[in-house]
């Protein structure tokens, strides 16, 4: 497939997080940058101000490993999904898109799950005094599992009380402890998403145990 470059020999690239689909940045590639990206699996761009190629994270350490690269219907712009290490923006923000112009509806953002997983992993690599996450991880899987059970019970109680505000809070606590359990067991956030995605691809909308035919 031959991509279409503009008059300056460039093509715009929207870069998003491969797991959360969070938009991270927008930049440009020329033919050489695209070839290096395809051949190395690392994100390369062309700087219009410096008029040179640059590899994302080469100096900052905030690298981008390419998961997929897709052209739009006119083949004149690219969508690149990456595994982002650190932040994407030179300002220190995770995403370059943080200057909100308008907000018509408040919706949740799955990127917070990625941030939660990264924060828990960071506590493993750099323990902090007084950290509840470090406390749980030091206590071990048995303690973490007990907390998961307690939070699940509290979520059930909130649901039975028909208190959706409390239920949302209890479910958030449950998710946090589940993420700590995944960290303790060496399961990545992406591993769970892959299972859900495979079930969705097969048209399944029930847990695996419920999908099995019951014995007569």
């Amino acid at each position: 497939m031959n991509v279409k470059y503009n008059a300056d020999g460039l093509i715009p690239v929207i870069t998003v997080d491969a797991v959360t689909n969070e938009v991270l940045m927008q930049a440009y590639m020329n033919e050489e940058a695209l070839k290096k990206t395809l051949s190395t699996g690392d994100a390369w761009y062309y700087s219009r101000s410096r008029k040179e190629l640059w590899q994302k994270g080469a100096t900052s350490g905030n690298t981008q490993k390419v998961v997929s690269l897709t052209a739009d219907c006119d083949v004149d712009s690219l969508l690149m999904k990456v595994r982002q290490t650190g932040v994407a923006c030179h300002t220190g923000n995770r995403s370059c898109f943080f200057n909100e112009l308008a907000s018509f509806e408040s919706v949740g953002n799955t990127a917070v799950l990625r941030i939660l997983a990264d924060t828990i992993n960071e506590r493993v690599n750099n323990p902090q005094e007084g950290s509840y996450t470090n406390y749980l991880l030091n206590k071990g899987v048995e303690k973490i599992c007990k907390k998961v059970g307690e939070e699940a019970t509290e979520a059930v109680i909130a649901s039975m009380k028909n208190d959706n505000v409390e239920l949302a809070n209890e479910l958030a606590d449950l998710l946090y402890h589940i993420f700590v359990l995944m960290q303790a067991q060496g399961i990545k956030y992406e591993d769970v998403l892959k299972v859900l995605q495979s079930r969705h691809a097969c048209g399944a909308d029930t847990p695996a145990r419920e999908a099995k035919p019951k014995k007569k």
Side-chain angles (χ1 to χ4, degrees):
M1 180 184 297
N2 295 319
V3 301
K4 300 175 184 177
Y5 299 97
N6 63 20
D8 296 319
L10 304 175
I11 187 170
V13 185
I14 298 295
T15 304
V16 304
D17 186 293
V19 177
T20 66
N21 283 326
E22 176 188 15
V23 178
L24 299 174
M25 57 181 286
Q26 185 265 324
Y28 290 85
M29 290 181 183
N30 62 4
E31 185 176 3
E32 185 179 359
L34 179 56
K35 286 181 178 179
K36 289 182 75 70
T37 297
L38 292 173
S39 64
T40 65
D42 298 316
W44 284 81
Y45 301 99
Y46 181 81
S47 172
R48 293 174 299 168
S49 59
R50 299 193 305 271
K51 299 188 184 305
E52 63 180 14
L53 294 182
W54 59 286
Q55 181 184 5
K56 181 64 176 176
T59 56
S60 67
N62 297 322
T63 58
Q64 292 176 345
K65 286 292 183 180
V66 181
V67 172
S68 66
L69 192 59
T70 308
D72 73 343
C73 56
D74 294 320
V75 203
D76 59 1
S77 63
L78 301 175
L79 175 67
M80 184 161 66
K81 294 189 175 184
V82 302
R83 294 187 182 276
Q84 176 72 49
T85 298
V87 300
C89 185
H90 73 281
T91 63
N93 287 281
R94 176 169 172 77
S95 168
C96 292
F97 293 88
F98 57 86
N99 293 306
E100 187 174 283
L101 299 181
S103 179
F104 300 99
E105 182 181 358
S106 178
V107 295
N109 190 335
T110 57
V112 71
L113 297 178
R114 158 59 65 196
I115 295 171
L116 175 59
D118 289 347
T119 300
I120 293 172
N121 185 64
E122 175 64 18
R123 292 295 181 270
V124 175
N125 298 325
N126 297 290
Q128 292 187 6
E129 185 177 353
S131 166
Y132 179 61
T133 299
N134 285 134
Y135 163 76
L136 287 175
L137 292 171
N138 290 335
K139 284 293 184 179
V141 172
E142 183 177 351
K143 174 66 174 179
I144 299 169
C145 286
K146 286 181 179 179
K147 290 300 298 181
V148 170
E150 290 174 10
E151 298 299 342
T153 300
E154 291 178 6
V156 170
I157 293 172
S159 182
M160 295 301 291
K161 289 163 55 180
N162 201 28
D163 187 337
N164 285 349
V165 173
E166 182 179 347
L167 177 58
N169 279 279
E170 296 300 346
L171 290 174
D173 290 344
L174 177 58
L175 275 174
Y176 161 77
H177 286 90
I178 288 174
F179 270 61
V180 175
L181 179 60
M182 289 192 294
Q183 178 71 50
Q185 292 290 76
I187 297 177
K188 294 182 179 180
Y189 164 47
E190 295 93 324
D191 296 334
V192 179
L193 292 182
K194 287 177 182 177
V195 173
L196 290 172
Q197 185 175 14
S198 66
R199 292 179 184 175
H200 176 70
C202 295
D205 60 355
T206 59
R209 65 178 182 276
E210 298 294 337
K212 295 178 181 178
K214 295 181 179 179
K215 295 182 180 180
K216 296 183 178 179

